[in-house]
Amino acid sequence: MTLTKSKYYFEALDNYPYSLPDCLEALNYALSYDPEDADSLCLMGRIYSEMLIDYEKAKLYFEEAMQCDVTNLNTPKYYIKCLLDNEDLQEAEKLINYSLKIKGIDKSTLWFYRALLSEKRGSFNNALKFLDESAKYCFNQYSLDVVKDRKKFVKSKMPKKNKKKKEMK
């Protein structure tokens, strides 16, 4: 990263999501200095995914970011979230499996997304297993609380087992 490009990328990141016009202006400057900067492309993908809810356009930016730097630690987690939101479940599963092999990546988040994927598919038992795996990689209380809350929520969605009815005697 050149110093100028870094300056504009950090300015864009600082303005996201509170001042999108300023964010976009700085981000366009950053991309003009280096159109293959994975972090800048990822942030543009986030804008399309999280703010504009244009998943197809977001996916193009995330794909380009992944092509420019396959070891970038930021891109996969935002790309996976975009794929889950767009219900591209098979693509999300492939990306999660690939991303778990990247050294230094936040595995807790990836396992959490794997649990969401299972939940979207209706496999609540698998979702609980993946949430247990996510909890193993939590290294602060906030992350662990998020995982525990999600486990409670998933359990509440599970069908209740029928107990022996008292009426039968």
Side-chain angles (χ1 to χ4, degrees), residues 85-99:
D85 290 343
N86 197 42
E87 298 179 2
D88 294 323
L89 304 183
Q90 284 186 318
E91 288 178 59
E93 185 174 17
K94 287 178 187 176
L95 185 54
I96 291 167
N97 292 335
Y98 168 78
S99 299

Side-chain angles (χ1 to χ4, degrees), residues 9 27 31 34-46 57-80 95 98 102:
Y9 168 71
L27 194 53
L31 286 169
D34 183 2
E36 295 183 349
D37 177 50
D39 287 317
S40 297
L41 291 166
C42 177
L43 183 55
M44 190 65 88
R46 287 181 65 193
K57 186 84 169 190
K59 284 169 46 177
L60 295 174
Y61 279 104
F62 288 129
E63 286 170 11
E64 191 173 345
M66 291 290 291
Q67 288 174 0
C68 293
D69 184 0
V70 294
T71 61
N72 185 291
L73 300 179
N74 290 320
T75 305
K77 65 181 175 184
Y78 296 113
Y79 191 9
I80 292 165
L95 185 54
Y98 168 78
I102 298 174

Side-chain angles (χ1 to χ4, degrees), residues 13 30 38 54 60 74 93 100 103 113 118 121 123 125 133 143 146-148 151 158 163 169:
L13 194 58
D54 184 349
L60 295 174
N74 290 320
E93 185 174 17
L100 283 167
K103 186 177 179 178
Y113 285 153
S118 290
R121 288 179 171 164
S123 180
N125 288 327
E133 196 65 29
S143 297
V146 169
V147 171
K148 286 179 180 178
K151 282 177 73 171
M158 295 177 77
K163 295 183 180 179
K169 291 185 180 179

Side-chain angles (χ1 to χ4, degrees), residues 9-62:
Y9 168 71
F10 288 125
E11 188 177 314
L13 194 58
D14 190 43
N15 284 306
Y16 183 80
Y18 307 107
S19 178
L20 288 179
D22 293 336
C23 174
L24 284 169
E25 182 180 350
L27 194 53
N28 283 323
Y29 279 124
L31 286 169
S32 72
Y33 281 98
D34 183 2
E36 295 183 349
D37 177 50
D39 287 317
S40 297
L41 291 166
C42 177
L43 183 55
M44 190 65 88
R46 287 181 65 193
I47 290 169
Y48 277 97
S49 177
E50 298 167 8
M51 297 293 129
L52 301 175
I53 318 298
D54 184 349
Y55 298 122
E56 294 305 318
K57 186 84 169 190
K59 284 169 46 177
L60 295 174
Y61 279 104
F62 288 129

